[in-house]
Amino acid sequence: MYQDPKRVRSRYGAINLDEYERRLIDALVDYTGIDKAVLLRQLVMKEALETLGIADLELNVPRRA
């Protein structure tokens, strides 16, 4: 079904947010129309790439966040 089985996503972890953080994420979801899980994944991947100093490389990560 998938060309690369390693690209199949599965639950990896969970985050704990306070009320203000949840409201911020919900506002971003409402503003962008992106699914919450997709938005959070994009934000995490963007931060990880920037932290590693490879944010400019094309690694098949959507750049919406």
Side-chain angles (χ1 to χ4, degrees):
M1 183 169 163
Y2 292 95
Q3 288 181 346
D4 184 355
K6 292 181 181 180
R7 300 294 299 176
V8 177
R9 293 187 175 107
S10 61
R11 184 178 179 104
Y12 178 74
I15 59 171
N16 297 314
L17 303 174
D18 64 23
E19 179 64 24
Y20 301 109
E21 294 164 334
R22 281 195 304 268
R23 289 174 61 190
L24 175 61
I25 297 301
D26 289 340
L28 274 171
V29 168
D30 291 341
Y31 180 75
T32 62
I34 300 172
D35 183 66
K36 190 184 307 182
V38 173
L39 177 71
L40 290 171
R41 181 175 55 248
Q42 289 176 351
L43 291 170
V44 167
M45 294 305 297
K46 180 180 180 189
E47 182 65 25
L49 291 170
E50 288 176 1
T51 298
L52 291 172
I54 57 173
D56 294 333
L57 295 179
E58 180 59 41
L59 295 177
N60 233 0
V61 177
R63 301 289 181 183
R64 286 196 229 168

